[in-house]
Amino acid sequence: MMTRENLEENQVWLYAGALATGAGFGLWQPVWSARLELLISPVLAIMLYGMFVQIPFLQLRQAFVNRRFAGALLTVNFVIVPALVWGLSQFLPEYPPLLLGVYLVLLTPCIDYVIVFTHLGQGNARLVLAATPMLLLIQMLLLPAYLWLFMGGQAARVMSAEPFLQAFLLLIALPLGLALASEIWTKRKKSGQAWLVATGWLPVPFMALTLILVVASQIDRIGEYLPIVGQAVPLYIAFMAIMPLLARWTAQVYRLDTKAGRALIFSSVTRNSLVVLPLALALPDAWVETPAVIVTQTLVELVGELVFIRLVPTVILSGTRRDDAPCR
């Protein structure tokens, strides 16, 4: 009998199967698969609700007692990462759809399966989970500013406020609001506890379904625009090779314990491709390559994560510090 624990323990293989299924169906039925992108946003919203409802928002203030981790997280994701992305992007051609895809995906820290890989990599997944609302809010506020800084008027002309607002309301505000209402319900009604247990099953299968929809609907575009998309692959690989070292250095500066340091590393390398993809899909036709650039990063990243869950706890940041050391 399948239990939630068994499902979570085997979710990496489920995601690998989802990628293969999405790629196979997308190549077999490209016309039908392209229509699946309409389902990405609603399925992703359900997945995020299932994840948010597990966060004790009413006790969220306690998460920020760990001031060192919060400071390190903000420094890595919103200072060091943008600086590195800007530097790496100088090796790319001045082609706006390519640059926009790279900036959209690399400037936004992940808020979903980063928790999974942090746990598998023996990091403190609770710290990342508690920081999710903060990461969501700050990246949505700063992303337009970064795009304007890096691309100037080009980004301002295509990234109108309406797609950002729609994505924020559907993918962030609505799931967060429903999750908060659910938590209040569980505090007051016994039936709410049963709902909380039931929704705990949502994140893993809906993450797999999201990956199927994303890959199936975009795999044909990746092949069609391979000469453009392929130019981003070395940059994605370089980003994943450099950021763990910078995050490890940041963890040392902030004197984080080992598990918090590992969590910082996984947050630094894992990007928010699934959430920003709907923004790219809302772009004008002249930017049609941008979604494929974002999906390519997802494929590169998931392969890299399978390496990091073994490399981070054994090589990059082994247990040389006390795992239970306080970070205040």
Side-chain angles (χ1 to χ4, degrees):
M1 181 178 179
M2 174 63 71
T3 65
R4 178 180 164 186
E5 289 73 21
N6 291 336
L7 183 64
E8 291 177 347
E9 288 175 0
N10 294 282
Q11 58 189 310
V12 172
W13 302 111
L14 180 63
Y15 298 156
L19 290 174
T21 301
F25 185 75
L27 294 173
W28 178 47
Q29 294 287 345
V31 176
W32 281 98
S33 297
R35 301 172 183 174
L36 295 177
E37 71 179 34
L38 297 175
L39 300 176
I40 293 175
S41 290
V43 170
L44 183 57
I46 295 173
M47 185 207 74
L48 291 174
Y49 166 74
M51 182 172 296
F52 293 157
V53 80
Q54 308 302 314
I55 302 174
F57 285 102
L58 299 182
Q59 304 173 18
L60 192 59
R61 186 178 63 84
Q62 298 178 5
F64 299 97
V65 171
N66 193 331
R67 294 189 295 271
R68 288 185 184 174
F69 181 77
L73 197 67
L74 294 176
T75 300
V76 161
N77 282 301
F78 301 113
V79 178
I80 296 177
V81 165
L84 176 62
V85 171
W86 168 251
L88 291 175
S89 68
Q90 302 310 299
F91 295 96
L92 292 176
E94 286 289 333
Y95 187 62
L98 172 62
L99 291 173
L100 183 60
V102 168
Y103 291 146
L104 277 174
V105 71
L106 291 187
L107 292 173
T108 51
C110 183
I111 48 86
D112 36 62
Y113 56 74
V114 62
I115 300 166
V116 175
F117 289 112
T118 300
H119 173 71
L120 294 175
Q122 301 178 37
N124 192 332
R126 290 181 178 273
L127 287 176
V128 180
L129 182 63
T132 294
M134 176 181 69
L135 288 178
L136 274 171
L137 177 62
I138 294 178
Q139 68 182 265
M140 282 297 167
L141 291 175
L142 291 183
L143 181 59
Y146 284 134
L147 292 178
W148 178 85
L149 183 64
F150 292 171
M151 298 188 67
Q154 291 178 323
R157 284 192 294 270
V158 298
M159 300 303 293
S160 61
E162 185 177 354
F164 271 92
L165 181 61
Q166 291 177 347
F168 179 82
L169 292 176
L170 176 62
L171 300 178
I172 299 172
L174 181 60
L176 276 175
L178 291 176
L180 182 58
S182 299
E183 183 175 355
I184 295 174
W185 178 31
T186 61
K187 298 287 185 181
R188 298 178 178 178
K189 302 289 185 179
K190 291 184 178 180
S191 57
Q193 292 294 330
W195 176 254
L196 184 64
V197 173
T199 54
W201 287 82
L202 293 177
V204 175
F206 273 86
M207 170 63 81
L209 181 57
T210 302
L211 290 173
I212 291 175
L213 295 174
V214 167
V215 176
S217 63
Q218 303 301 315
I219 191 70
D220 191 54
R221 287 183 180 178
I222 293 176
E224 182 178 356
Y225 305 117
L226 189 58
I228 296 172
V229 173
Q231 297 180 72
V233 173
L235 185 145
Y236 293 150
I237 295 173
F239 177 85
M240 295 200 74
I242 296 171
M243 269 315 304
L245 303 179
L246 296 178
R248 182 180 185 275
W249 171 78
T250 306
Q252 293 174 337
V253 170
Y254 280 86
R255 294 182 293 162
L256 301 184
D257 64 76
T258 302
K259 289 191 175 182
R262 292 170 184 164
L264 186 68
I265 291 172
F266 278 100
S267 178
S268 73
V269 299
T270 314
R271 303 288 89 192
N272 213 9
S273 57
L274 298 181
V275 174
V276 298
L277 181 60
L279 299 178
L281 293 173
L283 291 171
D285 292 340
W287 300 74
V288 69
E289 301 99 328
T290 301
V293 174
I294 293 174
V295 174
T296 300
Q297 190 275 338
T298 304
L299 300 178
V300 173
E301 179 179 272
L302 289 176
V303 174
E305 296 284 5
L306 296 178
V307 176
F308 283 141
I309 60 176
R310 298 183 181 276
L311 204 61
V312 169
T314 58
V315 178
I316 298 176
L317 190 57
S318 59
T320 55
R321 296 173 180 261
R322 290 177 56 196
D323 290 351
D324 57 352
C327 301
R328 299 185 184 276

